[in-house]
PDB file of all heavy atoms in Angstrom:
ATOM      1  N   VAL W   6      95.005 -60.643 115.885  1.00 62.00           N
ATOM      2  CA  VAL W   6      95.955 -60.973 114.817  1.00 62.00           C
ATOM      3  C   VAL W   6      96.858 -62.114 115.274  1.00 62.00           C
ATOM      4  O   VAL W   6      98.052 -62.113 115.040  1.00 62.00           O
ATOM      5  CB  VAL W   6      96.799 -59.741 114.404  1.00 62.00           C
ATOM      6  CG1 VAL W   6      95.948 -58.731 113.687  1.00 62.00           C
ATOM      7  CG2 VAL W   6      97.498 -59.128 115.601  1.00 62.00           C
ATOM      8  N   SER W   7      96.278 -63.084 115.903  1.00 61.00           N
ATOM      9  CA  SER W   7      97.068 -64.194 116.440  1.00 61.00           C
ATOM     10  C   SER W   7      97.327 -65.245 115.374  1.00 61.00           C
ATOM     11  O   SER W   7      96.805 -65.185 114.263  1.00 61.00           O
ATOM     12  CB  SER W   7      96.334 -64.820 117.621  1.00 61.00           C
ATOM     13  OG  SER W   7      95.183 -65.480 117.168  1.00 61.00           O
ATOM     14  N   ASP W   8      98.130 -66.211 115.760  1.00 65.00           N
ATOM     15  CA  ASP W   8      98.426 -67.336 114.863  1.00 65.00           C
ATOM     16  C   ASP W   8      97.268 -68.319 114.815  1.00 65.00           C
ATOM     17  O   ASP W   8      97.252 -69.227 114.001  1.00 65.00           O
ATOM     18  CB  ASP W   8      99.677 -68.068 115.342  1.00 65.00           C
ATOM     19  CG  ASP W   8     100.901 -67.174 115.250  1.00 65.00           C
ATOM     20  OD1 ASP W   8     100.867 -66.216 114.459  1.00 65.00           O
ATOM     21  OD2 ASP W   8     101.869 -67.449 115.984  1.00 65.00           O
ATOM     22  N   GLN W   9      96.331 -68.131 115.700  1.00 62.00           N
ATOM     23  CA  GLN W   9      95.166 -69.017 115.771  1.00 62.00           C
ATOM     24  C   GLN W   9      94.364 -68.875 114.485  1.00 62.00           C
ATOM     25  O   GLN W   9      94.199 -67.783 113.954  1.00 62.00           O
ATOM     26  CB  GLN W   9      94.322 -68.615 116.989  1.00 62.00           C
ATOM     27  CG  GLN W   9      93.060 -69.401 117.156  1.00 62.00           C
ATOM     28  CD  GLN W   9      92.262 -68.875 118.355  1.00 62.00           C
ATOM     29  OE1 GLN W   9      92.740 -68.059 119.100  1.00 62.00           O
ATOM     30  NE2 GLN W   9      91.065 -69.355 118.484  1.00 62.00           N
ATOM     31  N   LYS W  10      93.856 -69.982 113.994  1.00 65.00           N
ATOM     32  CA  LYS W  10      93.043 -69.978 112.773  1.00 65.00           C
ATOM     33  C   LYS W  10      91.614 -70.277 113.126  1.00 65.00           C
ATOM     34  O   LYS W  10      91.347 -71.337 113.683  1.00 65.00           O
ATOM     35  CB  LYS W  10      93.547 -71.014 111.774  1.00 65.00           C
ATOM     36  CG  LYS W  10      94.977 -70.884 111.407  1.00 65.00           C
ATOM     37  CD  LYS W  10      95.230 -69.657 110.588  1.00 65.00           C
ATOM     38  CE  LYS W  10      96.694 -69.686 110.145  1.00 65.00           C
ATOM     39  NZ  LYS W  10      97.290 -68.423 109.979  1.00 65.00           N
ATOM     40  N   PRO W  11      90.671 -69.493 112.880  1.00 72.00           N
ATOM     41  CA  PRO W  11      90.750 -68.076 112.517  1.00 72.00           C
ATOM     42  C   PRO W  11      90.997 -67.207 113.761  1.00 72.00           C
ATOM     43  O   PRO W  11      90.661 -67.611 114.864  1.00 72.00           O
ATOM     44  CB  PRO W  11      89.365 -67.798 111.947  1.00 72.00           C
ATOM     45  CG  PRO W  11      88.477 -68.718 112.680  1.00 72.00           C
ATOM     46  CD  PRO W  11      89.297 -69.958 112.942  1.00 72.00           C
ATOM     47  N   PRO W  12      91.580 -66.025 113.604  1.00 72.00           N
ATOM     48  CA  PRO W  12      91.801 -65.147 114.759  1.00 72.00           C
ATOM     49  C   PRO W  12      90.465 -64.643 115.321  1.00 72.00           C
ATOM     50  O   PRO W  12      89.451 -64.641 114.634  1.00 72.00           O
ATOM     51  CB  PRO W  12      92.629 -63.998 114.190  1.00 72.00           C
ATOM     52  CG  PRO W  12      92.440 -64.059 112.726  1.00 72.00           C
ATOM     53  CD  PRO W  12      92.082 -65.459 112.369  1.00 72.00           C
ATOM     54  N   ILE W  13      90.495 -64.250 116.571  1.00 74.00           N
ATOM     55  CA  ILE W  13      89.274 -63.763 117.223  1.00 74.00           C
ATOM     56  C   ILE W  13      88.996 -62.345 116.732  1.00 74.00           C
ATOM     57  O   ILE W  13      89.865 -61.471 116.829  1.00 74.00           O
ATOM     58  CB  ILE W  13      89.437 -63.774 118.754  1.00 74.00           C
ATOM     59  CG1 ILE W  13      89.770 -65.182 119.239  1.00 74.00           C
ATOM     60  CG2 ILE W  13      88.195 -63.233 119.441  1.00 74.00           C
ATOM     61  CD1 ILE W  13      90.155 -65.255 120.708  1.00 74.00           C
ATOM     62  N   PRO W  14      87.806 -62.096 116.186  1.00 79.00           N
ATOM     63  CA  PRO W  14      87.488 -60.750 115.686  1.00 79.00           C
ATOM     64  C   PRO W  14      87.498 -59.715 116.818  1.00 79.00           C
ATOM     65  O   PRO W  14      87.182 -60.006 117.964  1.00 79.00           O
ATOM     66  CB  PRO W  14      86.079 -60.900 115.101  1.00 79.00           C
ATOM     67  CG  PRO W  14      85.872 -62.357 114.932  1.00 79.00           C
ATOM     68  CD  PRO W  14      86.728 -63.043 115.934  1.00 79.00           C
ATOM     69  N   ARG W  15      87.867 -58.481 116.478  1.00 80.00           N
ATOM     70  CA  ARG W  15      87.942 -57.409 117.475  1.00 80.00           C
ATOM     71  C   ARG W  15      86.595 -57.128 118.131  1.00 80.00           C
ATOM     72  O   ARG W  15      86.544 -56.831 119.313  1.00 80.00           O
ATOM     73  CB  ARG W  15      88.467 -56.115 116.845  1.00 80.00           C
ATOM     74  CG  ARG W  15      89.949 -56.129 116.641  1.00 80.00           C
ATOM     75  CD  ARG W  15      90.427 -54.721 116.309  1.00 80.00           C
ATOM     76  NE  ARG W  15      91.863 -54.689 116.218  1.00 80.00           N
ATOM     77  CZ  ARG W  15      92.676 -54.524 117.246  1.00 80.00           C
ATOM     78  NH1 ARG W  15      92.175 -54.372 118.434  1.00 80.00           N
ATOM     79  NH2 ARG W  15      93.977 -54.516 117.083  1.00 80.00           N
ATOM     80  N   ASP W  16      85.503 -57.201 117.380  1.00 84.00           N
ATOM     81  CA  ASP W  16      84.201 -56.908 117.977  1.00 84.00           C
ATOM     82  C   ASP W  16      83.822 -57.951 119.024  1.00 84.00           C
ATOM     83  O   ASP W  16      83.208 -57.635 120.043  1.00 84.00           O
ATOM     84  CB  ASP W  16      83.114 -56.757 116.914  1.00 84.00           C
ATOM     85  CG  ASP W  16      82.954 -57.996 116.035  1.00 84.00           C
ATOM     86  OD1 ASP W  16      83.888 -58.820 116.013  1.00 84.00           O
ATOM     87  OD2 ASP W  16      81.907 -58.127 115.386  1.00 84.00           O
ATOM     88  N   VAL W  17      84.216 -59.206 118.801  1.00 82.00           N
ATOM     89  CA  VAL W  17      83.961 -60.255 119.790  1.00 82.00           C
ATOM     90  C   VAL W  17      84.787 -59.998 121.044  1.00 82.00           C
ATOM     91  O   VAL W  17      84.295 -60.108 122.168  1.00 82.00           O
ATOM     92  CB  VAL W  17      84.267 -61.655 119.211  1.00 82.00           C
ATOM     93  CG1 VAL W  17      84.195 -62.718 120.286  1.00 82.00           C
ATOM     94  CG2 VAL W  17      83.309 -61.976 118.073  1.00 82.00           C
ATOM     95  N   LEU W  18      86.044 -59.634 120.866  1.00 82.00           N
ATOM     96  CA  LEU W  18      86.898 -59.303 122.010  1.00 82.00           C
ATOM     97  C   LEU W  18      86.337 -58.115 122.782  1.00 82.00           C
ATOM     98  O   LEU W  18      86.274 -58.128 124.011  1.00 82.00           O
ATOM     99  CB  LEU W  18      88.322 -59.003 121.545  1.00 82.00           C
ATOM    100  CG  LEU W  18      89.122 -60.190 121.022  1.00 82.00           C
ATOM    101  CD1 LEU W  18      90.426 -59.707 120.405  1.00 82.00           C
ATOM    102  CD2 LEU W  18      89.382 -61.174 122.131  1.00 82.00           C
ATOM    103  N   ALA W  19      85.925 -57.085 122.061  1.00 84.00           N
ATOM    104  CA  ALA W  19      85.379 -55.893 122.718  1.00 84.00           C
ATOM    105  C   ALA W  19      84.114 -56.244 123.492  1.00 84.00           C
ATOM    106  O   ALA W  19      83.919 -55.774 124.623  1.00 84.00           O
ATOM    107  CB  ALA W  19      85.100 -54.811 121.683  1.00 84.00           C
ATOM    108  N   PHE W  20      83.269 -57.069 122.882  1.00 87.00           N
ATOM    109  CA  PHE W  20      82.037 -57.480 123.562  1.00 87.00           C
ATOM    110  C   PHE W  20      82.357 -58.255 124.842  1.00 87.00           C
ATOM    111  O   PHE W  20      81.773 -58.005 125.892  1.00 87.00           O
ATOM    112  CB  PHE W  20      81.192 -58.336 122.613  1.00 87.00           C
ATOM    113  CG  PHE W  20      79.962 -58.904 123.246  1.00 87.00           C
ATOM    114  CD1 PHE W  20      78.854 -58.100 123.479  1.00 87.00           C
ATOM    115  CD2 PHE W  20      79.911 -60.244 123.615  1.00 87.00           C
ATOM    116  CE1 PHE W  20      77.715 -58.630 124.064  1.00 87.00           C
ATOM    117  CE2 PHE W  20      78.776 -60.771 124.201  1.00 87.00           C
ATOM    118  CZ  PHE W  20      77.670 -59.961 124.423  1.00 87.00           C
ATOM    119  N   ASN W  21      83.300 -59.188 124.759  1.00 86.00           N
ATOM    120  CA  ASN W  21      83.666 -59.975 125.942  1.00 86.00           C
ATOM    121  C   ASN W  21      84.276 -59.105 127.029  1.00 86.00           C
ATOM    122  O   ASN W  21      83.963 -59.265 128.212  1.00 86.00           O
ATOM    123  CB  ASN W  21      84.628 -61.100 125.552  1.00 86.00           C
ATOM    124  CG  ASN W  21      83.931 -62.194 124.767  1.00 86.00           C
ATOM    125  OD1 ASN W  21      82.719 -62.339 124.855  1.00 86.00           O
ATOM    126  ND2 ASN W  21      84.692 -62.944 123.999  1.00 86.00           N
ATOM    127  N   TYR W  22      85.162 -58.198 126.653  1.00 87.00           N
ATOM    128  CA  TYR W  22      85.762 -57.305 127.637  1.00 87.00           C
ATOM    129  C   TYR W  22      84.707 -56.423 128.298  1.00 87.00           C
ATOM    130  O   TYR W  22      84.748 -56.168 129.492  1.00 87.00           O
ATOM    131  CB  TYR W  22      86.850 -56.438 126.997  1.00 87.00           C
ATOM    132  CG  TYR W  22      88.075 -57.205 126.575  1.00 87.00           C
ATOM    133  CD1 TYR W  22      88.813 -56.827 125.464  1.00 87.00           C
ATOM    134  CD2 TYR W  22      88.511 -58.319 127.284  1.00 87.00           C
ATOM    135  CE1 TYR W  22      89.935 -57.530 125.076  1.00 87.00           C
ATOM    136  CE2 TYR W  22      89.625 -59.029 126.905  1.00 87.00           C
ATOM    137  CZ  TYR W  22      90.337 -58.634 125.794  1.00 87.00           C
ATOM    138  OH  TYR W  22      91.446 -59.339 125.414  1.00 87.00           O
ATOM    139  N   GLU W  23      83.764 -55.958 127.499  1.00 89.00           N
ATOM    140  CA  GLU W  23      82.686 -55.114 128.044  1.00 89.00           C
ATOM    141  C   GLU W  23      81.836 -55.903 129.044  1.00 89.00           C
ATOM    142  O   GLU W  23      81.471 -55.387 130.103  1.00 89.00           O
ATOM    143  CB  GLU W  23      81.817 -54.600 126.900  1.00 89.00           C
ATOM    144  CG  GLU W  23      80.747 -53.631 127.353  1.00 89.00           C
ATOM    145  CD  GLU W  23      79.947 -53.078 126.186  1.00 89.00           C
ATOM    146  OE1 GLU W  23      80.492 -52.971 125.077  1.00 89.00           O
ATOM    147  OE2 GLU W  23      78.769 -52.745 126.411  1.00 89.00           O
ATOM    148  N   ARG W  24      81.554 -57.146 128.724  1.00 90.00           N
ATOM    149  CA  ARG W  24      80.788 -57.986 129.662  1.00 90.00           C
ATOM    150  C   ARG W  24      81.549 -58.199 130.954  1.00 90.00           C
ATOM    151  O   ARG W  24      80.975 -58.163 132.039  1.00 90.00           O
ATOM    152  CB  ARG W  24      80.458 -59.334 129.013  1.00 90.00           C
ATOM    153  CG  ARG W  24      79.388 -59.212 127.939  1.00 90.00           C
ATOM    154  CD  ARG W  24      78.968 -60.551 127.411  1.00 90.00           C
ATOM    155  NE  ARG W  24      78.356 -61.339 128.486  1.00 90.00           N
ATOM    156  CZ  ARG W  24      78.266 -62.653 128.461  1.00 90.00           C
ATOM    157  NH1 ARG W  24      78.734 -63.331 127.443  1.00 90.00           N
ATOM    158  NH2 ARG W  24      77.704 -63.302 129.448  1.00 90.00           N
ATOM    159  N   VAL W  25      82.843 -58.426 130.859  1.00 88.00           N
ATOM    160  CA  VAL W  25      83.667 -58.617 132.057  1.00 88.00           C
ATOM    161  C   VAL W  25      83.663 -57.353 132.899  1.00 88.00           C
ATOM    162  O   VAL W  25      83.480 -57.399 134.111  1.00 88.00           O
ATOM    163  CB  VAL W  25      85.114 -59.032 131.666  1.00 88.00           C
ATOM    164  CG1 VAL W  25      86.043 -58.940 132.864  1.00 88.00           C
ATOM    165  CG2 VAL W  25      85.120 -60.424 131.087  1.00 88.00           C
ATOM    166  N   VAL W  26      83.839 -56.208 132.273  1.00 88.00           N
ATOM    167  CA  VAL W  26      83.860 -54.938 132.998  1.00 88.00           C
ATOM    168  C   VAL W  26      82.512 -54.666 133.648  1.00 88.00           C
ATOM    169  O   VAL W  26      82.443 -54.251 134.813  1.00 88.00           O
ATOM    170  CB  VAL W  26      84.271 -53.786 132.051  1.00 88.00           C
ATOM    171  CG1 VAL W  26      84.037 -52.433 132.692  1.00 88.00           C
ATOM    172  CG2 VAL W  26      85.724 -53.937 131.643  1.00 88.00           C
ATOM    173  N   ASN W  27      81.434 -54.906 132.929  1.00 89.00           N
ATOM    174  CA  ASN W  27      80.099 -54.701 133.508  1.00 89.00           C
ATOM    175  C   ASN W  27      79.859 -55.644 134.682  1.00 89.00           C
ATOM    176  O   ASN W  27      79.280 -55.250 135.693  1.00 89.00           O
ATOM    177  CB  ASN W  27      79.017 -54.895 132.451  1.00 89.00           C
ATOM    178  CG  ASN W  27      78.977 -53.764 131.457  1.00 89.00           C
ATOM    179  OD1 ASN W  27      79.451 -52.672 131.734  1.00 89.00           O
ATOM    180  ND2 ASN W  27      78.438 -54.024 130.283  1.00 89.00           N
ATOM    181  N   GLY W  28      80.312 -56.881 134.549  1.00 90.00           N
ATOM    182  CA  GLY W  28      80.173 -57.837 135.644  1.00 90.00           C
ATOM    183  C   GLY W  28      80.951 -57.400 136.870  1.00 90.00           C
ATOM    184  O   GLY W  28      80.477 -57.509 138.000  1.00 90.00           O
ATOM    185  N   LEU W  29      82.156 -56.890 136.656  1.00 90.00           N
ATOM    186  CA  LEU W  29      82.958 -56.401 137.774  1.00 90.00           C
ATOM    187  C   LEU W  29      82.318 -55.188 138.437  1.00 90.00           C
ATOM    188  O   LEU W  29      82.331 -55.050 139.664  1.00 90.00           O
ATOM    189  CB  LEU W  29      84.375 -56.065 137.305  1.00 90.00           C
ATOM    190  CG  LEU W  29      85.254 -57.256 136.930  1.00 90.00           C
ATOM    191  CD1 LEU W  29      86.568 -56.777 136.342  1.00 90.00           C
ATOM    192  CD2 LEU W  29      85.511 -58.116 138.151  1.00 90.00           C
ATOM    193  N   ALA W  30      81.743 -54.306 137.631  1.00 91.00           N
ATOM    194  CA  ALA W  30      81.074 -53.130 138.188  1.00 91.00           C
ATOM    195  C   ALA W  30      79.859 -53.547 139.022  1.00 91.00           C
ATOM    196  O   ALA W  30      79.643 -53.022 140.119  1.00 91.00           O
ATOM    197  CB  ALA W  30      80.652 -52.178 137.073  1.00 91.00           C
ATOM    198  N   ASP W  31      79.086 -54.502 138.519  1.00 92.00           N
ATOM    199  CA  ASP W  31      77.933 -55.000 139.273  1.00 92.00           C
ATOM    200  C   ASP W  31      78.375 -55.664 140.578  1.00 92.00           C
ATOM    201  O   ASP W  31      77.753 -55.475 141.624  1.00 92.00           O
ATOM    202  CB  ASP W  31      77.134 -56.003 138.440  1.00 92.00           C
ATOM    203  CG  ASP W  31      76.437 -55.348 137.260  1.00 92.00           C
ATOM    204  OD1 ASP W  31      76.295 -54.105 137.266  1.00 92.00           O
ATOM    205  OD2 ASP W  31      76.030 -56.080 136.334  1.00 92.00           O
ATOM    206  N   TYR W  32      79.465 -56.413 140.510  1.00 93.00           N
ATOM    207  CA  TYR W  32      79.987 -57.076 141.697  1.00 93.00           C
ATOM    208  C   TYR W  32      80.430 -56.049 142.738  1.00 93.00           C
ATOM    209  O   TYR W  32      80.153 -56.194 143.929  1.00 93.00           O
ATOM    210  CB  TYR W  32      81.153 -57.989 141.319  1.00 93.00           C
ATOM    211  CG  TYR W  32      81.808 -58.639 142.497  1.00 93.00           C
ATOM    212  CD1 TYR W  32      81.231 -59.739 143.115  1.00 93.00           C
ATOM    213  CD2 TYR W  32      83.004 -58.145 143.014  1.00 93.00           C
ATOM    214  CE1 TYR W  32      81.828 -60.343 144.212  1.00 93.00           C
ATOM    215  CE2 TYR W  32      83.596 -58.740 144.113  1.00 93.00           C
ATOM    216  CZ  TYR W  32      83.012 -59.833 144.705  1.00 93.00           C
ATOM    217  OH  TYR W  32      83.605 -60.407 145.787  1.00 93.00           O
ATOM    218  N   ALA W  33      81.115 -55.004 142.286  1.00 93.00           N
ATOM    219  CA  ALA W  33      81.575 -53.962 143.210  1.00 93.00           C
ATOM    220  C   ALA W  33      80.394 -53.239 143.852  1.00 93.00           C
ATOM    221  O   ALA W  33      80.412 -52.959 145.057  1.00 93.00           O
ATOM    222  CB  ALA W  33      82.473 -52.977 142.472  1.00 93.00           C
ATOM    223  N   GLU W  34      79.366 -52.945 143.078  1.00 94.00           N
ATOM    224  CA  GLU W  34      78.176 -52.284 143.630  1.00 94.00           C
ATOM    225  C   GLU W  34      77.478 -53.181 144.648  1.00 94.00           C
ATOM    226  O   GLU W  34      77.044 -52.719 145.702  1.00 94.00           O
ATOM    227  CB  GLU W  34      77.214 -51.905 142.511  1.00 94.00           C
ATOM    228  CG  GLU W  34      77.702 -50.762 141.654  1.00 94.00           C
ATOM    229  CD  GLU W  34      76.813 -50.508 140.449  1.00 94.00           C
ATOM    230  OE1 GLU W  34      75.759 -51.185 140.326  1.00 94.00           O
ATOM    231  OE2 GLU W  34      77.173 -49.659 139.632  1.00 94.00           O
ATOM    232  N   ALA W  35      77.359 -54.464 144.338  1.00 94.00           N
ATOM    233  CA  ALA W  35      76.720 -55.396 145.274  1.00 94.00           C
ATOM    234  C   ALA W  35      77.536 -55.516 146.555  1.00 94.00           C
ATOM    235  O   ALA W  35      76.978 -55.554 147.659  1.00 94.00           O
ATOM    236  CB  ALA W  35      76.549 -56.770 144.619  1.00 94.00           C
TER     237      ALA W  35
END
């Protein structure tokens, strides 16, 4: 709900956060 036009959709944010978390988990395991 930012002032940015258009705002970033929640599903895109969730997808990006999930990718970051998965990447961090893979990094920790390695």
Side-chain angles (χ1 to χ4, degrees):
V6 290
S7 69
D8 295 337
Q9 178 183 351
K10 305 291 186 211
I13 302 171
R15 283 192 175 274
D16 58 342
V17 172
L18 290 171
F20 175 76
N21 288 338
Y22 291 147
E23 185 177 331
R24 287 186 63 202
V25 168
V26 169
N27 288 339
L29 290 174
D31 292 343
Y32 176 78
E34 289 173 4

